[in-house]
Amino acid sequence: MNLSEFFAMGGYGFYVWGSYGVTALCLIVEVALLMRRKRTLLQRLGRMSRVTSTEVKNEIQT
Amino acid sequence: MTSLTAAFRCIVARDITLALRRRADVLTTLFFFVIVVSLFPLGVGPEMATLRIMAPGVVWVAALLASMLALERMFYGDYRDGTLEQMLLTPQPLPVLVLGKVFAHWLVSGLPLVLIAPLLGVQYDLPPEGLLILALSLLVGTPVLSLIGAIGAALTLGVRGGGVLVSLLVLPLYIPVLIFGAGAVDASMSGLGAQAHLSLLGAFLLGALILAPWAAAAALRISME
Amino acid sequence: MAKKINWFKYSSPQTFYPLAGKMIPWFAVAALLFTLPGLYFSFFVAPPDYQQGEAYRIMFIHVPAAWMSMFIYMVMAGYAGMGLVLNSRLSSMMASALAPTGAMFTFLALWTGSLWGKPMWGAWWVWDARLTSELILLFLYIGFMSLYAAIDEPRRAARASAVLALVGVVNIPIIYFSVKWWNTLHQGSSITASKGPTMAASMFIAMMLMAMAFWMYTIAVALMRVRCEILERERHAEWVAEAMRGAK
C-alpha cells in the first residue's frame, strides 16, 4: 500500500481524516488551553505573593 | 398528618390568592401559548393536511415554552420579600411546602393551557378524538413540567441571567414528556390508541411527584444558604 | 483509624495538589502508549470492512468517544453527589473538572458520527436514537457548566450543579428510552442505525486500545484542570502563598 492510497482511504479520506483530525485537534487544543491557564494563574499568584511579602516587609520596616 | 395537609392547603390557598391579585401574569403565559401556536401556520403555510400532522408537536412545544417562561415566578416573589426564608424555618418538611407551591403554580399556569388547548387544536383541524387526547395528555403532562421546572427554578434563584439559564437546565429534561405527550395525540390520530403513551406520562407524573419535591427542596436550601 | 486519617489527608486540596502533579505525567505517558498501538491497529491491522470499506475506521474513535461521554457524566455525577453528601471540596472540584472534557467527547461523538453517517446514510445528520441521545447529553453538559459558571460563590455553585447532575443522571435512562421509542415509532422517515460491522478480533482490540487511551487522557486532563481549580479557589490560603514563595 503506498502513501497516497493510504490517505485516500478508499475514497473516504475526507470523512476518516476529518474525524481523526478534528479529534486530535480538540485533544491538543484542550491540553494547550489548560497549560496556558495554569501558566497565567501561576504568574498572577506569584505576583500576588510578591506584593504581599513586600507589603509585610514595609510594615516591619516602618 | 393533619398539620401536613393543613400546611399544604395553606400554601396553595395563599399562592392562588396572590396569583389572582396579579391576573396579568397568569394571562401573559396563556397569551404567549396562544400566540406561539398561532404563528406556526403563518410560517409553514395554511395547508390543512400539513397542519394536522404538525399540530401535536407544535402545541406541545408551545406548552413547554409557556410553562418554562412561568417558572421564574414560582419562587422569586417569595425569595425577594423574605417569605421563602421563613418557609425554610418552619417545622413542616420543606418538600411538602414545595409541593404545595408547585401545585398552586400549576393551577394558575398549567391548567389554563390544558383548557385552551382544544380550541387551538381546532385551528389545526384536529378531529374531536385528537382534541380530547391532546387535552388529556396536557393534563397529565404539564404537572410533570411544573415539577421538573421547580428544580430548575430553585437552582437558579437569584442568579444573574436566571431566566435564560433555567431554559438550558430544564428543557433537556422536558424531552421525555414532549415525546410521549405529542406521541399520544399522534397515536390516537393514526388509530393506534393513546393508552400506552398516556400511562407512561402517568408514570412520569408519579415519579416526578415522588422525586422532584425533594430535589427542589434541596436546591432551595442550597440557594438560600 | 489510621486508614481514615490517610483518606482524609488525600482528600484535602492541599495534599492532593502535589499528588496530582506527580500523577499527571504517568497518565499522559499511558495515554500516548495506548494511542500509538491503537492507531496502528485501527489503520494497519484491522481489515477493511466488506460493506463499508475504509469508512468504518471512524468507528475506532466514534464509539470510544461516545462511551467516554457517558462514562464521564456518570463519574462526574458520582463526584458531585459525593461532594454534596460528604461536603468535600475536592470531590466537587473533580466534578467540575470533568465536565468540559465530557462535553468535548460528546461533541466528538457527534462530529465523528456525522462524518461517518454522511457516506453511510447519505446525510450529515439523521435523527437516529443514539445520535439524538448524544445531542441531549451535550445539552445536559452545557446546562451543568453554565449553572456552575453563573453562580459566583464557589460553594453554592458546586452544590447547585451537583443537584443538577444528579437530576440528570436519574433522567438519562428515561430520556434514552423515550428517544428510542420515538425513533422506532417514526421509522418511516429515518433509516435505522447500521449495527456496525461484525467485529473481527483486531477491530475489537483497536477499539479497546483507543478507549483506554481516551480514559488515560481524560484522567490526565481532569487532574490538570483540578489543579488549576484548586489554585484558583484556594489562592488566599496560606499553603498556596507559601508554595509560591518557595517557587520564587
Side-chain angles (χ1 to χ4, degrees):
Chain A
M1 175 162 63
N2 64 21
L3 209 60
S4 66
E5 220 174 276
F6 176 69
F7 280 113
M9 276 286 139
Y12 294 121
F14 172 72
Y15 304 106
V16 174
W17 298 119
S19 300
Y20 278 82
V22 169
T23 305
L25 191 76
C26 278
L27 302 188
I28 290 166
V29 164
E30 191 187 20
V31 171
L33 282 178
L34 273 174
M35 283 166 118
R36 209 186 64 176
R37 178 173 165 193
K38 172 119 183 284
R39 210 174 46 238
T40 52
L41 200 65
L42 283 181
Q43 275 171 3
R44 215 177 61 205
L45 286 177
R47 240 180 334 228
M48 248 164 62
S49 84
R50 254 175 285 142
V51 167
T52 48
S53 60
T54 49
E55 266 171 14
V56 172
K57 257 184 232 156
N58 290 345
E59 268 170 37
I60 294 168
Q61 279 167 358
T62 51
Chain B
M1 196 64 209
T2 44
S3 90
L4 280 190
T5 45
F8 179 82
R9 217 176 299 150
C10 176
I11 292 260
V12 174
R14 169 182 170 276
D15 276 17
I16 288 178
T17 321
L18 281 177
L20 289 184
R21 285 206 194 129
R22 296 240 222 116
R23 245 161 278 156
D25 281 356
V26 179
L27 291 178
T28 316
T29 314
L30 190 61
F31 285 133
F32 174 83
F33 180 58
V34 174
I35 288 175
V36 169
V37 173
S38 311
L39 279 182
F40 273 85
L42 300 177
V44 297
E47 278 160 66
M48 277 306 175
T50 335
L51 288 182
R52 220 174 295 133
I53 294 171
M54 283 174 42
V58 167
V59 173
W60 258 99
V61 168
L64 243 62
L65 295 177
S67 75
M68 189 201 77
L69 278 185
L71 283 180
E72 214 184 347
R73 288 200 307 273
M74 197 184 278
F75 298 115
Y76 189 67
D78 288 350
Y79 170 72
R80 213 176 31 187
D81 65 15
T83 321
L84 203 57
E85 231 162 305
Q86 303 298 319
M87 278 182 201
L88 296 193
L89 297 174
T90 53
Q92 275 78 22
L94 188 57
V96 175
L97 304 185
V98 168
L99 193 62
K101 286 196 75 66
V102 173
F103 182 62
H105 185 262
W106 176 76
L107 280 183
V108 295
S109 69
L111 193 59
L113 305 188
V114 177
L115 296 178
I116 201 130
L119 206 62
L120 298 176
V122 169
Q123 281 188 323
Y124 284 75
D125 194 32
L126 285 185
E129 198 194 304
L131 294 178
L132 179 73
I133 297 293
L134 180 65
L136 256 178
S137 67
L138 281 168
L139 185 68
V140 187
T142 45
V144 186
L145 302 184
S146 295
L147 282 163
I148 296 173
I151 305 172
L155 283 175
T156 54
L157 207 53
V159 172
R160 71 190 129 80
V164 187
L165 187 60
V166 85
S167 64
L168 281 184
L169 308 187
V170 153
L171 285 179
L173 302 177
Y174 279 176
I175 288 170
V177 184
L178 169 68
I179 288 175
F180 287 104
V185 187
D186 267 339
S188 87
M189 286 194 326
S190 61
L192 287 171
Q195 198 154 22
H197 291 82
L198 288 177
S199 15
L200 273 167
L201 275 181
F204 289 163
L205 178 57
L206 279 182
L209 269 177
I210 292 166
L211 294 177
W214 267 265
L220 275 183
R221 285 201 195 282
I222 289 165
S223 298
M224 298 296 290
E225 257 169 19
Chain C
M1 197 61 204
K3 219 174 181 179
K4 201 171 184 185
I5 290 164
N6 211 13
W7 159 251
F8 275 114
K9 192 178 150 214
Y10 284 110
S11 69
S12 99
Q14 181 180 351
T15 43
F16 189 73
Y17 182 81
L19 179 70
K22 275 190 214 112
M23 277 163 19
I24 290 169
W26 291 101
F27 282 108
V29 168
L32 215 64
L33 285 183
F34 278 113
T35 309
L36 294 177
L39 287 177
Y40 179 72
F41 263 85
S42 18
F43 282 113
F44 299 109
V45 180
D49 185 58
Y50 76 99
Q51 250 181 333
Q52 307 192 4
E54 308 282 349
Y56 91 100
R57 294 191 196 281
I58 294 174
M59 179 182 81
F60 298 131
I61 46 173
H62 171 72
V63 175
W67 282 346
M68 287 313 291
S69 67
M70 287 180 257
F71 280 146
I72 292 178
Y73 197 91
M74 296 296 156
V75 175
M76 184 184 91
Y79 271 121
M82 235 157 78
L84 202 62
V85 175
L86 303 178
N87 215 347
S88 76
R89 279 174 303 168
L90 189 60
S91 313
S92 32
M93 286 183 198
M94 272 311 278
S96 58
L98 280 168
T101 307
M104 188 196 70
F105 276 118
T106 319
F107 164 74
L108 284 178
L110 287 172
W111 177 268
T112 53
S114 171
L115 278 173
W116 191 9
K118 179 65 180 166
M120 292 302 118
W121 295 328
W124 291 108
W125 180 262
V126 171
W127 288 96
D128 155 66
R130 273 180 284 177
L131 277 180
T132 312
S133 326
E134 203 68 28
L135 182 68
I136 297 169
L137 187 64
L138 183 63
F139 295 158
L140 289 179
Y141 272 116
I142 290 172
F144 179 89
M145 290 193 291
S146 21
L147 180 65
Y148 190 84
I151 303 176
D152 292 322
E153 205 228 320
R155 200 179 125 81
R156 186 187 158 189
R159 293 170 69 81
S161 47
V163 170
L164 185 70
L166 292 178
V167 172
V169 158
V170 173
N171 263 280
I172 282 177
I174 302 175
I175 292 176
Y176 183 71
F177 160 73
S178 34
V179 167
K180 220 170 165 170
W181 169 301
W182 164 81
N183 190 247
T184 46
L185 275 187
H186 296 265
Q187 200 122 68
S189 60
S190 79
I191 309 140
T192 41
S194 65
K195 281 279 181 298
T198 41
M199 287 257 232
S202 54
M203 295 179 185
F204 185 72
I205 293 171
M207 213 157 80
M208 284 302 153
L209 284 172
M210 292 310 280
M212 283 308 290
F214 281 175
W215 254 123
M216 296 299 124
Y217 168 86
T218 304
I219 296 174
V221 165
L223 288 177
M224 279 172 85
R225 192 173 285 117
V226 90
R227 262 162 71 94
C228 291
E229 204 102 340
I230 289 174
L231 277 185
E232 262 166 30
R233 281 208 219 165
E234 312 252 311
R235 57 173 179 269
H236 301 300
E238 191 53 40
W239 70 270
V240 173
E242 230 159 70
M244 286 297 119
R245 251 172 263 140
K248 290 289 147 186

